[in-house]
Amino acid sequence: MLDNKGRVFAVLAGAPRDASGWAEVNADVQKLFDEVRRSHKFKDVSHRRGEYPSVTAGISYGGGQTQPGNLSQTSPPHEAADKLLANSSIKRLAGFGDAAFKLYAPRLYGYYSSTLDALLKRDKSLEPNFKKVAFAAATFNLGPQVATYVHTDHQNLPAGWCAVTAIGNFDPTKGGHLLLWDLKLMVEFPPGALILIPSAILRHSNTAVGSDERCYSFTQYSAGGLFRWVECGCQSLKKFKDAGGAYSITGAERWLRGVGMWSTWDELRASED
């Protein structure tokens, strides 16, 4: 998807060419999500994104945190996050999302990767979800029939991307569509497919699936606060300002810098030659 300047702001990345192998990944993750959902008690199954249990893991900063921390240590159940992150099929989903991000938005990917590297170098207690993945955090939406409300992920980096993978067993021509409300688009979103969107600024949701079908999702993202923390010298904005620090660019200029990291269609076409 291109903006009016020819910049790629969203990608319907699909799935790897290994159709049979990827179908096995989808089936394995569906089984895993069902096992985790049934074997753990979840307090908050009703939240601003929908009515279903979810698990978050990774590194985040915001929402009252005084410094970046590991989500899996603050968002129980901890055992569920550990089991999900250790699964080989989940690692394949994460790797494909990372590779697609790097392919379609290499400058933005570099910004994510260097920020995460700086965080890990400064604070050895921080634990990334996966090795060599630029996203700092992930959410596992455990279903069994995920239908999200209209929302934005406002704490994510505004010009950043979120990698969303659909999981389950449903007819994508009849349900499970991704709705991009600001663009007035309804997109078929088959099980196993990946979509990359700027979820902080685009209102989005997904449609329900049939009563006998199953729908789940796996998302990867990075909180905007992490980038601010690193740019402030690995300290809060308040401490940065109290010490006499000041941003060299305005908020509007930061936004322009962010969208400037999106690839142009011409750049992507040239990279194929």
Side-chain angles (χ1 to χ4, degrees):
M1 298 183 185
L2 309 180
D3 68 8
N4 60 4
K5 295 185 182 298
R7 296 175 298 209
V8 179
F9 68 87
V11 178
L12 311 181
R17 294 178 180 178
D18 178 18
S20 60
W22 205 243
E24 292 177 3
V25 168
N26 175 70
D28 185 45
V29 172
Q30 180 177 337
K31 180 181 178 181
L32 173 67
F33 280 15
D34 284 339
E35 290 175 353
V36 171
R37 188 184 67 255
R38 292 165 181 163
S39 60
H40 292 85
K41 292 183 178 181
F42 296 88
K43 295 180 180 179
D44 300 320
V45 296
S46 179
H47 41 82
R48 73 178 191 87
R49 290 182 176 85
E51 305 275 341
Y52 50 84
S54 63
V55 174
T56 58
I59 302 166
S60 188
Y61 176 54
Q65 291 174 270
T66 59
Q67 64 183 48
N70 299 308
L71 283 167
S72 61
Q73 295 180 0
T74 59
S75 303
H78 310 152
E79 299 83 359
D82 292 342
K83 183 173 183 177
L84 290 161
L85 293 171
N87 182 270
S88 60
S89 292
I90 291 294
K91 291 178 181 179
R92 286 196 65 184
L93 293 182
F96 180 62
D98 183 78
F101 185 19
K102 187 175 183 179
L103 175 66
Y104 288 106
R107 287 187 294 273
L108 186 60
Y109 178 92
Y111 185 40
Y112 273 60
S113 181
S114 63
T115 297
L116 183 57
D117 286 347
L119 287 165
L120 297 176
K121 184 177 180 179
R122 186 65 175 262
D123 187 346
K124 302 301 182 182
S125 71
L126 297 176
E127 300 176 359
N129 287 333
F130 311 101
K131 294 181 179 179
K132 299 181 180 180
V133 169
F135 293 107
T139 295
F140 307 86
N141 296 316
L142 302 178
Q145 293 186 315
V146 171
T148 59
Y149 301 145
V150 182
H151 68 284
T152 59
D153 301 309
H154 60 277
Q155 290 190 337
N156 291 353
L157 185 70
W161 282 4
C162 174
V164 186
T165 304
I167 301 296
N169 180 16
F170 59 91
D171 183 346
T173 67
K174 296 181 179 180
H177 296 75
L178 175 66
L179 302 178
L180 299 174
W181 293 85
D182 302 296
L183 305 179
K184 299 181 180 179
L185 288 177
M186 181 170 72
V187 181
E188 287 186 11
F189 199 179
L194 167 72
I195 293 180
L196 298 156
I197 60 171
S199 65
I201 60 172
L202 283 184
R203 291 180 299 151
H204 57 284
S205 63
N206 74 287
T207 61
V209 298
S211 59
D212 59 341
E213 295 179 321
R214 295 293 179 263
C215 180
Y216 320 73
S217 62
F218 168 63
T219 67
Q220 297 188 91
Y221 50 90
S222 292
L226 295 175
F227 300 87
R228 185 174 62 249
W229 176 271
V230 170
E231 291 181 355
C232 288
C234 291
Q235 60 185 328
S236 69
L237 179 61
K238 183 179 185 303
K239 287 185 177 180
F240 176 67
K241 289 184 175 180
D242 288 346
Y247 275 121
S248 59
I249 58 177
T250 65
E253 289 170 334
R254 287 198 299 276
W255 164 254
L256 292 175
R257 180 187 65 179
V259 298
M261 295 182 196
W262 295 346
S263 299
T264 66
W265 179 241
D266 288 341
E267 287 174 331
L268 293 182
R269 292 183 63 185
S271 67
E272 296 179 351
D273 296 337

